[in-house]
């Protein structure tokens, strides 16, 4: 089994699935600033990005209701596409329908084999390379639940992630606000990229010997850390949008707004499907007054975020570079995620010579990931295998060293 090696441009901005249809010009001009930031590869805010007049640009109004309607329909489609029916309910609950869905999943698995069942083949490429582990949070380390505040990570997952971090530089890359992810994970030895990579913090001196470049500071607990926030100027704007969105969605039962610091998330998991369209329209109508922001989508969420060319893929690139690990011949990044926003990271991994991109899903999905895992339970299994693999590797090397080089 060979790990996918397809070359893609990791740094130059390719249009993402999560595009902002009415903001192309702004995105293109933001791209060059972000590109410079990525190349600098250090955990300090880029003056190029900071100097963008993001808050003062023309607040563009849209007069065309036809365009607005088309956008809302587009987002309604996205909402439906991101919410595949449960496995058993696709064609009813009969044994035949179950067989049909099982066959579809089996066919999909041929293209995206289980990273757990072919672990050894996957890791052949990692031999003698520095493995770096990137983990999404919701749906990857914690099961999806209705209440976002209750998305706890099981303790045995925490134990295994901690072990992983003792052997490999490890980062959590989440759409959540960074402090919130930290509250759930509670491991100081990891790097955390919150708000889809727009808020990166990590230990100044990694436990496994890696040091992220950048300006050091102290976190709330007094630890030495490094920080990178490419969209820091957007904070007041995000606060404003969060308030407006909370107000405008009050009439839609089940809708819930979460302030994720550099993004604002509109949850519709508890909204009846007939209200998804009106909700998408409300989000769109708030967004149209903020031309420096854009809309993306995830698992039963719509998200408003700064329209800068920065995403989870850029965060991966940035962290690798900042840790001095961007020479892809010696590095084997592993990225595990379950959501649409993780596709940007899969794309970056596919652009490297070696790497392992894994989508967590129990239903067939269009993805750029090479491999799959069914659920957080399997993620835990995979991480466990990774630890054992490293321990065996260390053991073999010590043993062989003694035999062949006395
Ligand atoms: O990048 P992630 O760490 O996967 O964060 C993406 C979003 O995750 C959370 O929402 C998702 O999980 C919730 C709890 O299980 C679930 O209720 C929701 O439907 C999922 O989309 C988080 O609450 C969002 O803010 C993140 O953007």
């Amino acid at each position: 089994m060979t790990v996918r090696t397809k070359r893609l441009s990791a740094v130059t901005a390719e249009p993402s699935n999560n595009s902002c249809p009415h903001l192309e010009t702004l995105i293109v001009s933001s791209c060059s600033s972000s590109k410079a930031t990525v190349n600098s590869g250090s955990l300090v805010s880029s003056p190029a990005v900071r100097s963008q007049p993001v808050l003062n640009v023309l607040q563009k109004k849209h007069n065309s209701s036809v365009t607005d309607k088309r956008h809302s329909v587009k987002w309604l489609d996205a909402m439906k596409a991101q919410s595949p029916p449960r496995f058993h309910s696709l064609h009813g609950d009969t044994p035949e329908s179950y067989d049909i869905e099982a066959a579809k999943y089996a066919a999909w698995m041929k293209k995206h084999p289980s990273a757990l069942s072919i672990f050894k083949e996957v890791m052949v490429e990692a031999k003698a390379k520095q493995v770096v582990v990137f983990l999404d949070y919701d749906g990857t380390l914690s099961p999806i639940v209705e209440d976002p505040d209750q998305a706890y990570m099981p303790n045995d997952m925490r134990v295994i992630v901690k072990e992983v971090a003792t052997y490999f530089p490890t980062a959590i890359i989440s759409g959540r606000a960074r402090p919130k992810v930290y509250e759930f994970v509670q491991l100081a030895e990891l790097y955390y990229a919150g708000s889809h990579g727009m808020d990166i913090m990590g230990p100044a001196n990694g436990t496994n010997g890696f040091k992220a470049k950048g300006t050091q500071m102290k976190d709330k607990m007094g630890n030495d850390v490094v920080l990178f926030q490419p969209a820091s100027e957007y904070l007041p704007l995000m606060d404003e949008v969060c308030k407006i969105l909370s107000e405008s969605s009050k009439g839609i039962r089940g809708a819930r707004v979460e302030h994720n610091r550099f993004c604002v998330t509109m949850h519709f998991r508890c909204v009846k499907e007939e209200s998804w369209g009106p909700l998408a329209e409300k989000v769109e109508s708030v967004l149209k007054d903020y031309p420096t922001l854009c809309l993306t989508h995830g698992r039963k969420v719509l998200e408003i975020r700064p329209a800068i060319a920065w995403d989870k893929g850029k965060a991966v690139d940035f962290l690798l570079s900042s840790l001095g690990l961007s020479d892809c011949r010696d590095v084997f990044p592993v990225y595990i995620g379950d959501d649409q926003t993780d596709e940007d990271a899969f794309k970056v991994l596919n652009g490297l010579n070696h790497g392992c991109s894994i989508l967590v899903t129990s239903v067939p999905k269009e993805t750029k990931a090479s491999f799959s895992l069914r659920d957080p339970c399997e993620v835990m299994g995979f991480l466990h295998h990774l630890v054992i693999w490293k321990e065996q590797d260390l053991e073999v090397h010590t043993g062989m060293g003694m035999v062949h080089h006395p």
Side-chain angles (χ1 to χ4, degrees):
M1 182 73 216
T2 48
V3 178
R4 188 185 287 186
T5 57
K6 204 170 110 204
R7 263 217 171 270
L8 286 170
S9 165
V11 174
T12 49
E14 290 182 36
S16 145
N17 287 340
N18 291 316
S19 62
C20 318
H22 54 297
L23 288 169
E24 276 145 24
T25 320
L26 185 72
I27 292 171
V28 169
S29 66
S30 297
C31 280
S32 50
S33 317
S34 297
K35 189 174 170 182
T37 311
V38 171
N39 289 340
S40 74
S42 83
L43 287 164
V44 283
S45 292
S46 152
V49 172
R50 281 174 162 268
S51 68
Q52 290 284 320
V54 290
L55 299 179
N56 298 325
V57 291
L58 188 68
Q59 300 279 294
K60 195 165 55 176
K61 294 267 179 196
H62 284 239
N63 296 323
S64 162
S65 58
V66 176
T67 315
D68 291 348
K69 201 83 196 158
R70 211 176 52 218
H71 288 157
S72 297
V73 169
K74 177 193 148 182
W75 289 109
L76 179 60
D77 288 347
M79 287 160 95
K80 288 181 180 164
Q82 282 300 304
S83 316
R86 280 175 204 279
F87 186 86
H88 66 271
S89 65
L90 287 172
H91 294 100
D93 277 340
T94 62
E96 293 75 23
S97 65
Y98 189 87
D99 287 349
I100 293 170
E101 295 312 319
K104 277 189 194 162
Y105 189 64
W108 182 86
M109 290 277 285
K110 286 200 172 128
K111 286 196 260 165
H112 308 280
S114 161
L116 198 53
S117 52
I118 58 157
F119 182 84
K120 279 192 184 146
E121 291 94 316
V122 172
M123 294 310 285
V124 162
E125 302 272 359
K127 259 205 170 333
K129 293 192 172 65
Q130 175 60 56
V131 173
V132 189
V133 180
F134 297 98
L135 302 164
D136 166 55
Y137 183 74
D138 289 279
T140 298
L141 297 180
S142 71
I144 292 292
V145 291
E146 278 191 0
D147 179 356
D149 289 340
Q150 304 285 319
Y152 300 112
M153 172 170 149
N155 201 45
D156 33 2
M157 182 70 97
R158 182 171 298 103
V159 170
I160 195 70
V161 172
K162 191 177 171 66
E163 281 188 63
V164 166
T166 61
Y167 291 125
F168 318 109
T170 303
I172 310 278
I173 310 222
S174 171
R176 298 249 191 188
R178 178 175 48 74
K180 185 74 190 174
V181 196
Y182 189 89
E183 200 183 302
F184 280 133
V185 179
Q186 289 179 27
L187 294 171
E189 51 271 69
L190 307 186
Y191 299 87
Y192 291 86
S195 310
H196 298 294
M198 284 181 273
D199 189 5
I200 304 181
M201 189 184 262
N205 303 301
T207 47
N208 36 42
F210 285 93
K211 286 185 179 202
K213 283 191 278 168
T215 315
Q216 295 194 9
M217 55 183 290
K218 299 262 185 210
D219 70 5
K220 278 186 190 158
M221 278 91 72
N223 302 316
D224 287 318
V225 293
V226 279
L227 180 74
F228 177 70
Q229 294 178 331
S232 53
E233 290 147 328
Y234 282 82
L235 275 181
L237 201 60
M238 299 321 292
D239 290 345
E240 186 180 311
V241 165
C242 187
K243 276 191 204 132
I244 296 174
L245 215 53
S246 306
E247 199 54 45
S248 78
S249 61
K250 263 187 183 155
I252 298 195
R253 205 170 172 173
R256 176 171 178 163
V257 179
E258 187 181 2
H259 196 335
N260 281 325
R261 218 175 203 185
F262 296 99
C263 0
V264 174
T265 304
M266 170 63 79
H267 288 267
F268 60 92
R269 184 166 294 279
C270 298
V271 175
K272 283 196 175 145
E273 195 167 336
E274 58 263 30
S275 301
W276 290 5
L279 186 65
E281 276 174 36
K282 282 192 189 296
V283 175
E284 276 280 345
S285 96
V286 171
L287 187 73
K288 73 186 178 191
D289 289 336
Y290 294 92
T292 59
L293 303 180
C294 68
L295 190 57
T296 63
H297 58 90
R299 291 179 76 170
K300 302 234 168 122
V301 290
L302 289 174
E303 296 186 295
I304 292 186
R305 56 157 111 174
I308 61 169
W310 197 266
D311 53 38
K312 288 186 173 188
K314 294 285 193 300
V316 165
D317 229 346
F318 177 84
L319 275 166
L320 287 174
S321 171
S322 165
L323 290 163
L325 296 172
S326 52
D327 186 346
C328 55
R329 284 168 306 179
D330 305 328
V331 181
F332 188 86
V334 174
Y335 188 104
I336 313 181
D338 72 316
D339 213 342
Q340 184 62 34
T341 56
D342 297 308
E343 293 294 327
D344 295 316
F346 297 150
K347 200 159 66 173
V348 166
L349 257 69
N350 294 347
L352 304 173
N353 279 326
H354 304 288
C356 172
S357 48
I358 305 174
L359 178 71
V360 184
T361 182
S362 55
V363 292
K365 274 187 192 169
E366 185 63 40
T367 182
K368 293 187 174 67
S370 302
F371 303 102
S372 65
L373 290 168
R374 259 178 194 274
D375 50 31
C377 243
E378 285 202 0
V379 172
M380 196 153 73
F382 179 85
L383 295 178
H384 184 67
H385 274 49
L386 208 55
V387 168
I388 306 271
W389 174 83
K390 182 65 184 181
E391 285 173 351
Q392 285 175 347
D393 189 53
L394 288 173
E395 220 173 278
V396 166
H397 275 90
T398 316
M400 277 174 68
M402 282 160 63
V403 171
H404 297 296
H405 309 286

